[in-house]
């Protein structure tokens, strides 16, 4: 009979998707140029030309039976080795191919990481503000997601709240830095403090607590940001990566799990990912994409547009009197709304064809997210519209 | 803490993989030309040139942000529509785009289908001989796989055994036609009889029983075979397809779920697949591969080599006195071994560098599988070796 859990989920609607669909419909009505769509986190810059050239070369020069053939269940060995070497040279780690599991994007990587280190009923803690898909990602794995309230000052970690929510049932802590939706990167100090805290709790409880680090924005870091490589600070850590944002390949479903070589049972964990795959129908990222990505490891798309856009928006928003924590990376910014009800705020903005996402779904009230992975020219044109919206809707709030 | 279910699975070894690894190692030792590796079901013919050309055209001519962009969670709309139309024109069905869910290969498609129509603890029946990965595929979804013993005469369906194993707990029946490992296609008569049986049981139990049809070999059909399109015969049916074999793209992870439009809640089922994806980390097949495959729907690789190989082997094996059910499709053949212990039989064959897979893992004793997706020249050279093996190891059995 039809599964009721999944059927009931159909009633829930994603506010982000609804806003994005509205923006598209509105664009068809008045011209897409006039809709300032800050709803979706879709890369707006092309992949590196070397990726395209490398893929064409594979298709032209190599044996198609090999290029399109089954990948081993943990990924193509040469690709896993190349990923390990790339991470080692960039972050002074000691990965070997055996610590790398090629996954179909960060969603695939996380699905494996959660199942590796939890059993049904175990808890995973994450920190607000957080990517709302973590809810179904974790809860449908059988584990239970609990969200630690935000550090509202700077969107680092609220350690007091963490201490209160930590218990023996917590088997993993999930972080996302640089962060969607805040754009904030956890500082060296924050990661150090988190690592110390978790080490203490491991000793206290007598069991492992894994740190799962979701890092799709790792390469989108702005000038002056302190954004260290998480796994350097804590042995029982698992890094989940996607090339979606750094290479602008979100649809190609390519990423990896990198198990810290110093982690408990490090070698078993990567192999376990292959077993988990059998149950969830994940049979490796596309073979040709694995091979093509391996040719451009260390490269990125031209990500500079995101920093340009961030600076434009940050200056404009602070100039208008918004309270904003300055992003250290990503293509998101997460200002405080001009009224307590973020939903009402964003509804008012919609009248000006400004598509902003209210913060409630991210586990924080009274804020809104702007995904500024759009043309700089459009960001510039949106600023007077933002000013008009604020002036007309919140006349008393203007500085 | 590390999950014990998955960790324990590491102890289990796949006999097929072990044999394949042995064949590779042995090939490095004595030259791969001298190893007759019938272990693995990997397509041996290239994808159509039109696929390669179509992909290069996409990469060269189209906007990379669009080609590599996120796919909607049910698949790219134009691709879903093209798949529906292709199925309609070939099989006189009434699919619309809304009935199609693009999945990362048959494994991805099955992972969704199982979760759509069962809840944890429900039973799924399948029929021996069967693809052994169905075990982890089903059991790790929370449902329970039960295997109906084989019809040993012709590898159609043993309806007497099915009647005995059917119960109210069975929410789905899983078939694979043409079949891995037997190569047999279920006849129109078999599918009709199965549909009638399931309709009767639906009425008797007062609940739906879904027929999940795993069809990666649908296009590899040999002359004279009766291999009807399953969903024409039973309303509550879900077709799971992969392009791995028909287009020789197993590593690219591209296939689909096609929900019968006459199925209970047909529209909800496809949308539910999108919800299931959130939990299992499946975020669509690669976008560029969806677009490139849509350009060659209805085409296949040159699959004729498989029929050539099958005829060579079938004639040779029957000539040597083997009992063999003639395959109607696929690239497998499943003869009876010359002793009861299929493992012992295959061990003896290994001494002749004939790599055969014993049948026990497929749920049938005393047989062996040959995957003849290899060069015809090599099949020809293997025949005198097979003859020598039989003559020397089973002198009394030679006719």
């Amino acid at each position: 009979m039809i599964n009721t859990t999944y059927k009931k989920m159909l009633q829930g609607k994603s506010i982000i998707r609804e806003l994005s669909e509205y923006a598209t419909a509105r664009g068809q009505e008045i011209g897409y140029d006039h809709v300032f769509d800050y709803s979706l986190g879709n890369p707006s810059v092309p992949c590196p030309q070397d990726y395209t050239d490398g893929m064409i070369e594979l298709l032209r020069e190599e044996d198609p039976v090999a290029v399109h053939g089954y990948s081993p269940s943990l990924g193509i060995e040469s690709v896993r080795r190349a990923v390990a070497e790339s991470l080692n040279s960039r972050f002074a780690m000691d990965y070997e191919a055996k610590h790398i599991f090629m996954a179909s994007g960060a969603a695939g990587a996380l699905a494996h990481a959660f199942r590796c280190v939890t059993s049904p009923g175990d808890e995973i803690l994450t920190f607000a503000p957080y990517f709302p898909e973590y809810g179904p990602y974790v809860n449908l794995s059988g584990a239970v997601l609990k969200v630690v309230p935000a550090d509202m000052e700077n969107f680092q970690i609220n350690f007091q709240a963490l201490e209160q929510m930590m218990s023996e049932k917590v088997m993993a802590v999930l972080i996302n830095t640089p962060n969607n939706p805040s754009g904030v990167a956890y500082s060296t100090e924050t990661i150090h403090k988190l690592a110390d805290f978790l080490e203490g709790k491991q000793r206290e409880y007598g069991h492992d607590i894994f740190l799962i680090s979701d890092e799709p924005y790792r390469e989108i870091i702005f000038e002056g940001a302190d954004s260290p490589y998480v796994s350097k600070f804590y042995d029982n850590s698992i890094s989940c990566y996607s090339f979606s944002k750094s290479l602008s390949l979100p649809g190609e479903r390519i990423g990896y799990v990198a198990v810290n070589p110093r982690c408990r049972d490090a070698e078993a964990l990567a192999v376990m990912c292959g077993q988990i795959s059998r149950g969830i129908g994940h049979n490796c990222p596309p073979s040709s994409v694995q091979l093509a990505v391996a040719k451009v490891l260390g490269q990125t798309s031209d990500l500079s547009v995101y920093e340009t856009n961030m600076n434009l928006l940050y200056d404009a928003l602070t100039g208008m009197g918004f309270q904003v924590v300055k992003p250290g990376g990503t293509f998101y910014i997460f200002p405080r709304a001009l009224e307590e009800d973020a939903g009402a705020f964003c509804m008012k903005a919609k009248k000006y064809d400004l598509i902003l996402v209210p913060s409630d779904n991210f586990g924080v009230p009274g804020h809104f997210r702007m995904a500024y992975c759009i043309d700089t020219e459009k960001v510039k044109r949106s600023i007077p519209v933002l000013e008009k919206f604020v002036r007309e809707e919140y006349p008393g709030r203007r500085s």
Side-chain angles (χ1 to χ4, degrees), chain A:
Chain A
M1 287 197 300
I2 292 174
N3 184 297
T4 51
T5 304
Y6 296 112
K7 196 167 181 200
K8 274 186 198 146
M9 287 174 71
L10 299 184
Q11 294 154 19
K13 281 246 176 184
S14 156
I15 180 79
I16 300 175
R17 192 160 287 259
E18 269 184 28
L19 283 167
S20 158
E21 284 167 8
Y22 170 83
T24 305
R26 181 73 177 147
Q28 283 163 358
E29 197 181 314
I30 63 165
Y32 201 73
D33 269 2
H34 305 293
V35 180
F36 302 98
D37 182 4
Y38 285 109
S39 67
L40 268 194
N42 249 331
S44 58
V45 292
C47 60
Q49 186 62 38
D50 283 355
Y51 176 83
T52 304
D53 294 345
M55 180 63 97
I56 290 175
E57 189 181 71
L58 278 173
L59 294 167
R60 283 226 158 132
E61 314 286 338
E62 306 283 330
D63 174 10
V65 172
V67 169
H68 304 300
Y70 278 115
S71 163
S73 55
L74 304 182
I76 297 171
E77 178 72 14
S78 61
V79 178
R80 296 168 70 202
R81 197 165 50 237
V83 166
E85 285 165 5
S86 168
L87 288 171
N88 293 345
S89 71
R90 293 180 56 206
F91 302 118
M93 294 288 292
D94 299 302
Y95 293 113
E96 296 175 46
K98 66 186 174 190
H99 302 114
I100 308 297
F101 168 76
M102 299 305 296
S104 54
L110 291 168
H112 287 82
F114 298 153
R115 287 163 175 81
C116 267
V117 299
T118 66
S119 298
D122 288 349
E123 288 181 10
I124 297 180
L125 293 185
T126 197
F127 303 94
Y130 72 106
F131 178 48
E133 284 297 293
Y134 287 167
Y137 285 7
V138 169
N139 295 328
L140 294 172
S141 81
V144 179
L145 184 72
K146 299 241 166 135
V147 180
V148 178
D151 166 0
M152 297 295 276
E153 278 304 300
N154 52 23
F155 299 130
Q156 298 283 322
I157 286 178
N158 181 339
F159 281 97
Q160 203 177 347
L162 171 60
E163 175 71 58
Q164 281 165 11
M165 291 185 69
M166 180 53 75
S167 80
E168 294 209 11
K169 291 171 77 177
V170 175
M171 296 301 169
V173 169
L174 168 62
I175 62 174
N176 170 218
T177 173
N179 181 267
N180 173 9
S182 73
V184 165
Y186 287 170
S187 67
T188 304
E189 188 191 341
T190 296
I191 304 285
H192 250 313
K193 204 168 158 186
L194 178 62
D196 287 349
F197 175 82
L198 293 178
E199 271 157 19
K201 289 294 172 185
Q202 287 194 135
R203 282 191 299 272
E204 182 183 335
Y205 299 150
H207 66 66
D208 294 316
I209 303 171
F210 285 86
L211 180 59
I212 300 171
S213 179
D214 179 23
E215 305 174 352
Y217 302 99
R218 195 173 64 204
E219 267 64 75
I220 313 182
I221 289 294
F222 304 147
E223 201 187 324
D226 172 24
S227 183
Y229 186 69
V230 172
S231 292
K232 292 197 75 68
F233 295 78
Y234 187 69
D235 288 356
N236 277 335
S237 58
I238 299 173
S239 170
C240 294
Y241 187 73
S242 165
F243 293 96
S244 293
K245 273 69 181 185
S246 60
L247 291 176
S248 295
L249 299 172
E252 303 300 350
R253 314 311 308 142
I254 175 84
Y256 55 80
V257 171
V259 176
N260 192 328
R262 296 190 306 274
C263 165
R264 165 98 60 194
D265 261 338
E267 289 181 39
L269 284 179
V271 193
M272 279 169 66
C273 287
Q275 299 300 322
I276 292 165
S277 290
R278 299 165 80 188
I280 62 178
H282 174 289
N283 286 48
C284 281
S287 47
S288 64
V289 178
Q290 288 189 55
L291 295 168
V293 159
K295 292 181 172 198
V296 294
L297 286 176
Q299 286 194 47
T300 66
S301 300
D302 178 2
L303 305 171
S304 62
V305 60
Y306 304 133
E307 186 157 8
T308 304
N309 292 354
M310 186 278 289
N311 282 318
L312 282 168
L313 282 173
Y314 180 76
D315 291 346
L317 289 161
T318 49
M320 282 179 248
F322 281 92
Q323 286 181 39
V324 200
V325 181
K326 189 170 186 177
T330 76
F331 37 59
Y332 305 108
I333 194 165
F334 198 60
R336 187 181 286 268
L338 297 182
E339 61 181 295
E340 276 186 24
D341 183 341
F345 176 84
C346 294
M347 280 296 278
K348 286 175 191 160
K350 224 164 118 180
K351 292 190 291 183
Y352 297 80
D353 295 311
L354 291 164
I355 313 300
L356 315 175
V357 180
S359 63
D360 307 81
N361 276 10
F362 302 108
V364 168
H367 289 66
F368 62 97
R369 188 188 78 171
M370 300 175 81
Y372 45 83
C373 37
I374 63 175
D375 284 350
T376 299
E377 173 274 329
K378 206 167 187 180
V379 171
K380 286 181 182 163
R381 283 197 294 116
S382 78
I383 290 171
V385 182
L386 269 164
E387 284 168 341
K388 181 166 186 272
F389 155 57
V390 169
R391 192 169 58 237
E392 292 182 358
E393 300 291 332
Y394 302 92
R397 300 293 297 260
R398 191 73 177 75
S399 61

